[in-house]
């Protein structure tokens, strides 16, 4: 299947002279949830703003379903819904009116049933006649989502969807995102919260300083770069780590009841077998053992720190 | 052509008028009535006639022009400035609409409002003074042309403005003085010769003169010249808007 979005050598230099994107190449697959992960100022918003038509690219190209976003913007933009990062504090009009307006703007015939469904899904139905300016921040965010969904997009962009959002909306949002994905909608979200990418995404792209550092299946990424820890719970507290085991890089917990061994899942051998043998030789007995995988957070930090 | 988008923008903008009925319709009507009382009543009792027309009737076309210009500019500039100000412009830019359609929606709505307002003021004027319209078709033509042209001009100001002060500065410092000096309340033939020449650099003079001709069949200037100048200003606005969208000036990074 051809990629839903294909970004080639995309660059952006703002009028200020600041280069926000440096030759981005990226392909988004049909029907996936893709998380664009990066710290503030990495270029996430710039990238999706270009794809959506809000910012002009300085170089390179973007195709959506094979259509160029500039020469064939009508086709590409009709396919896309965008929930922006900034909260426009708009307006005197009612929730219903603004959502219906969005649908019209995207050239779709009126469909009250669809708008009703969107509003109900977002728990906005009882607010449909309220003016937007009277709503709380969380409710305004829901309205932005409703606007983006009003024209039944095939691709949905969510820019920092959970920044400053309450738990309830966060849950609702993920439920809606999963439902949309199940109905075949491709979803691209940007975030600087690693848990969000970890929780939701099928694939993750890490962006920093306008460069895409890597793009990987989430599981591959976790596996490839993940460090694991083997935790051994001891029978008896250990005063100090025996010198025979010094080269292993073991750490002892504060209560001296746990030994922690960190190993790289990428390595040819984990060294666990020999470690266990050495422990046995040293007469250290353990009653239980467990492993933990390092979070994306750690992966991310190590990636961004890594000189490229 | 994304007609639905044009329609959505157009109706959205007209709905804004309903929400702000006081500002959009009622206050221009009241201020025009005040002009009638002050100028028509007080001054009219002394001037009585210009070019053989009762002074009260003489100022009607100019007063309509005055409101047409200010309201077209105010409506159109605010209509496009507001989404820029609140950030909702993102939606316009990400929608499958062409620049032409955006202009059509915003300027069409602003011009529609002005035309309706112009007709309401005309009707209001009819309550104060007798009104005759010698060339109704031309009257409507000037009404529409002026509304469209100055709505385009307002649209340009709305895009150029990056703050509320800028939004108001051109109407306040340029348009209002030009309108008052544009022959609304007098015939330019009443001015000393030097000032008559200076006045010819004021574009509003051509509008008022042409519009007045459509009412009374007499005018300070040749009606063809009036029409040419109005059309020239229309074309100028269109060229500027085309340039704005081509370069993304003030709307797209
Ligand atoms: N209009 C602009 N003019 C100049 N620089 C900008 C503009 N918009 C964003 N930037 C800069 O580009 C960089 C990337 O911004 P952005 O794409 O918003 O990052 P992110 O969404 O990842 O936080 C930042 O350093 C930001 O300051
Ligand atoms: Mg951002």
């Amino acid at each position: 299947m051809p990629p839903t979005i294909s970004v080639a050598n995309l660059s952006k230099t703002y009028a200020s002279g600041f280069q926000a994107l440096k030759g981005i190449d990226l392909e988004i697959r049909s029907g996936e949830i893709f998380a664009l992960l990066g710290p503030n100022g990495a270029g996430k918003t710039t990238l999706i703003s270009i794809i959506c038509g809000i910012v002009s690219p300085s170089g390179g190209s973007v195709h959506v379903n094979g259509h160029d976003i500039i020469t064939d913007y009508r086709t590409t933009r009709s396919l896309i819904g965008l929930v922006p990062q900034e909260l426009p504090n708009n307006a005197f009009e009612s929730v219903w009116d603004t959502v219906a307006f969005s649908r019209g703007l995207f050239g779709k015939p009126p469909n009250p049933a669809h708008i009703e469904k969107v509003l109900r899904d977002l728990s906005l139905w009882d607010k449909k006649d309220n003016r937007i300016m009277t709503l709380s921040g969380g409710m305004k965010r829901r309205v932005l989502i409703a606007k983006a969904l009003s024209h039944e997009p095939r691709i949905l962009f969510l820019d920092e969807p959970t920044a400053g959002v309450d738990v309830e909306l966060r849950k609702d949002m993920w439920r809606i995102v999963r439902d949309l994905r199940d109905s075949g909608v491709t979803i691209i979200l940007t975030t600087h919260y690693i848990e969000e990418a970890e929780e939701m995404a099928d694939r993750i792209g890490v962006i920093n300083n306008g460069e895409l550092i890597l793009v990987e299946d989430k599981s591959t990424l976790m596996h490839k770069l993940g460090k694991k820890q083997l935790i051994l719970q001891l029978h008896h507290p250990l005063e100090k780590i025996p010198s025979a085991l010094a080269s292993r890089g073991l750490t002892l917990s504060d209560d001296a009841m746990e030994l922690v061994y960190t190993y790289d899942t990428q390595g040819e051998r984990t060294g666990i077998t020999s470690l266990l043998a050495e422990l046995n030789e040293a007469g250290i007995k353990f009653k239980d053992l467990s492993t933990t995988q390092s979070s994306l957070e750690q992966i991310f930090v190590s990636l961004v720190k890594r000189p490229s | 052509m994304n007609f639905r988008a044009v329609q959505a923008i157009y109706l959205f903008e007209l709905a804004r008028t309903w929400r702000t009925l006081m500002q959009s319709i009622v206050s221009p009507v009241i201020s025009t009535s005040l002009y009638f009382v002050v100028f028509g009543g007080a001054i009219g009792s002394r001037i009585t006639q210009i070019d053989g027309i009762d002074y009260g009737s003489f100022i009607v076309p100019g007063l309509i022009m005055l409101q047409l210009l200010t309201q077209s500019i105010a409506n159109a500039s605010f209509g496009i400035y507001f989404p820029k100000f609140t950030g909702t412009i993102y939606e316009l830019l990400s929608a499958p609409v062409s620049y032409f359609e955006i202009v059509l929606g915003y300027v069409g709505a602003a011009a529609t409002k002005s035309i309706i307002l112009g007709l309401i003021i005309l009707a209001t004027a009819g309550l104060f003074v007798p009104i005759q319209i010698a060339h109704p078709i031309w009257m409507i033509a000037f009404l529409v042309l002026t509304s469209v042209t100055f709505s385009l001009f307002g649209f340009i100001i709305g895009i150029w403005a990056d703050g509320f002060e800028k939004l108001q500065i051109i109407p306040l410092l340029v348009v209002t003085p030009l309108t008052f000096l544009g022959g609304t309340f007098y015939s330019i033939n009443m001015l000393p010769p030097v000032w008559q020449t200076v006045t010819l650099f004021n574009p509003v003079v051509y509008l008022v003169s042409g519009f007045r001709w459509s009412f009374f069949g007499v005018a300070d200037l040749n009606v063809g010249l009036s029409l040419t100048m109005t059309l020239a200003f229309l074309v100028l606005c269109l060229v500027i808007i085309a340039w704005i969208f081509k370069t993304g000036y003030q709307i797209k990074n």
Side-chain angles (χ1 to χ4, degrees):
Chain A
M1 199 182 286
T4 292
I5 298 177
S6 130
V7 176
N9 197 22
L10 189 69
S11 65
K12 174 65 188 179
T13 306
Y14 280 110
S16 63
F18 182 82
Q19 191 173 13
L21 294 179
K22 303 165 185 165
I24 302 277
D25 290 296
L26 175 65
E27 293 200 337
I28 307 288
R29 297 171 191 158
S30 174
E32 71 176 340
I33 298 181
F34 186 90
L36 199 57
L37 182 62
N40 273 328
K44 305 180 294 292
T45 300
T46 303
L47 176 56
I48 68 175
S49 296
I50 291 176
I51 301 174
C52 295
I54 298 165
V55 169
S56 308
S58 308
S61 67
V62 180
H63 288 81
V64 176
N65 274 5
H67 302 278
D68 186 279
I69 57 157
I70 291 171
T71 56
D72 206 356
Y73 68 92
R74 277 191 206 273
T75 314
T76 65
R77 292 186 197 170
S78 317
L79 295 165
I80 295 175
L82 166 66
V83 182
Q85 169 183 11
E86 303 278 332
L87 274 186
N89 60 342
N90 65 328
F92 304 95
E93 66 268 15
S94 71
V95 170
W96 178 278
D97 285 351
T98 197
V99 176
F101 169 78
S102 298
R103 188 175 168 89
L105 204 55
F106 278 75
K108 291 274 160 61
N111 184 346
H114 174 70
I115 291 178
E116 177 172 345
K117 179 179 181 303
V118 168
L119 292 182
R120 284 192 190 280
D121 281 352
L122 284 158
S123 315
L124 278 172
W125 183 245
D126 56 335
K127 297 267 191 300
K128 70 180 163 55
D129 297 319
N130 293 30
R131 289 167 166 229
I132 295 162
M133 58 189 288
T134 65
L135 300 180
S136 69
M139 282 293 166
K140 282 182 183 159
R141 182 74 71 123
R142 286 171 193 260
V143 173
L144 290 181
I145 302 171
K147 280 164 82 72
L149 296 178
S150 67
H151 62 277
E152 301 160 73
R154 300 305 301 151
I155 301 164
L156 182 68
F157 283 91
L158 295 155
D159 198 1
E160 312 256 352
T162 54
V165 147
D166 57 63
V167 182
E168 204 179 330
L169 175 51
R170 206 181 153 110
K171 272 196 212 149
D172 279 3
M173 191 129 58
W174 292 156
R175 176 180 50 73
I176 291 165
V177 164
R178 291 205 169 92
D179 286 354
L180 285 169
R181 200 260 302 267
D182 291 345
S183 70
V185 175
T186 306
I187 290 147
I188 298 101
L189 58 95
T190 76
T191 180
H192 57 262
Y193 297 123
I194 290 93
E195 317 84 69
E196 211 158 87
E198 195 167 357
E199 189 184 337
M200 293 301 301
D202 301 316
R203 282 199 312 149
I204 293 172
V206 179
I207 185 170
N208 191 41
N209 279 329
E211 286 172 296
L212 207 53
I213 304 173
L214 95 171
V215 177
E216 207 76 74
D217 279 344
K218 180 176 67 185
S219 51
T220 317
L221 181 64
M222 303 284 292
H223 182 71
K224 198 159 135 187
L225 290 150
K227 292 261 197 292
K228 272 196 161 181
Q229 290 187 323
L230 175 68
I231 299 157
L232 300 163
Q233 292 188 329
L234 306 177
H235 262 296
H236 306 290
L238 196 65
E239 259 175 39
K240 62 183 278 283
I241 297 167
S243 53
L245 294 170
S247 63
R248 288 286 186 173
L250 297 174
T251 52
L252 196 58
S253 67
D254 287 344
D255 63 358
M257 290 299 288
E258 279 180 9
L259 258 185
V260 181
Y261 172 60
T262 307
Y263 61 98
D264 200 332
T265 51
Q266 250 182 309
E268 272 288 285
R269 20 187 352 138
T270 59
I272 292 175
T273 322
S274 52
L275 173 72
L276 294 184
E278 284 166 26
L279 285 173
N280 199 21
E281 263 166 43
I284 300 171
K285 294 211 156 62
F286 53 92
K287 53 183 178 188
D288 201 0
L289 82 177
S290 60
T291 61
T292 61
Q293 188 145 19
S294 62
S295 70
L296 257 178
E297 173 124 30
Q298 289 155 299
I299 298 173
F300 180 62
V301 169
S302 68
L303 265 176
V304 171
K305 272 202 223 138
R306 197 178 60 183
S308 50
Chain B
M1 183 88 176
N2 186 347
F3 283 108
R4 286 207 176 84
V6 177
Q7 187 190 21
I9 296 172
Y10 184 84
L11 294 179
F12 182 90
E13 283 296 298
L14 285 189
R16 204 162 55 78
T17 312
W18 282 112
R19 284 197 302 269
T20 56
L21 199 62
M22 276 304 282
Q23 279 157 281
S24 331
I25 303 282
V26 179
S27 71
V29 168
I30 290 177
S31 63
T32 309
S33 304
L34 289 175
Y35 281 127
F36 272 114
V37 173
V38 175
F39 286 91
I43 299 178
S45 63
R46 287 162 191 263
I47 299 185
T48 63
Q49 285 202 330
I50 294 179
D51 296 340
I53 305 154
D54 274 344
Y55 186 71
S57 306
F58 177 85
I59 61 173
V60 171
L63 285 179
I64 295 176
M65 271 297 160
L66 186 72
Q67 294 297 347
L68 230 47
L69 297 193
T70 42
Q71 293 301 315
S72 297
I73 292 175
N75 273 322
S77 62
F78 194 76
I80 190 67
Y81 175 75
F82 199 63
K84 274 202 327 172
F85 173 69
T86 59
T88 47
I89 188 126
Y90 84 87
E91 197 178 22
L92 217 49
L93 295 175
S94 66
V97 291
S98 67
Y99 296 136
F100 177 70
E101 288 152 3
I102 294 177
V103 172
L104 206 58
Y106 278 101
V107 171
T112 304
K113 279 183 245 182
S114 297
I115 292 167
I116 293 172
L117 181 70
L119 295 174
I120 291 177
I121 292 176
L122 181 60
T124 313
L127 301 176
F128 292 89
V129 291
I131 304 237
Q132 51 161 101
I133 300 170
H135 309 285
I137 305 281
W138 281 108
M139 193 279 279
I140 296 293
F142 271 110
L143 189 72
V144 172
L145 198 58
T146 308
S147 300
V148 170
T149 304
F150 282 83
S151 296
L152 282 170
F153 186 54
F155 189 86
I156 294 171
I157 292 174
I159 289 205
W160 166 74
D162 51 15
F164 278 101
E165 308 78 44
K166 276 197 180 178
L167 202 58
Q168 271 150 2
I169 205 156
I170 300 262
L172 207 65
L173 292 186
V174 182
V175 179
T176 310
L178 286 184
T179 339
F180 275 93
L181 300 175
T184 300
F185 300 108
Y186 53 86
S187 160
I188 59 171
N189 296 326
M190 294 160 73
L191 297 172
V194 180
W195 285 104
Q196 285 191 28
T197 314
V198 173
T199 298
L200 292 181
F201 290 96
N202 177 358
V204 178
V205 165
Y206 300 92
L207 297 172
V208 173
S209 174
F211 200 44
R212 187 173 287 142
W213 171 84
S214 72
F215 277 76
F216 308 118
V218 290
D220 297 343
L221 301 163
N222 180 290
V223 64
L225 184 61
S226 290
L227 195 61
T228 311
M229 292 303 275
T230 315
L231 287 172
F233 194 56
L234 174 72
V235 170
L236 180 67
C237 290
L238 287 174
V239 169
I240 295 174
I241 286 183
W243 173 83
I244 284 173
F245 281 128
K246 195 158 169 258
T247 58
Y249 171 77
Q250 295 280 49
I251 38 174
K252 206 166 174 175
N253 285 315

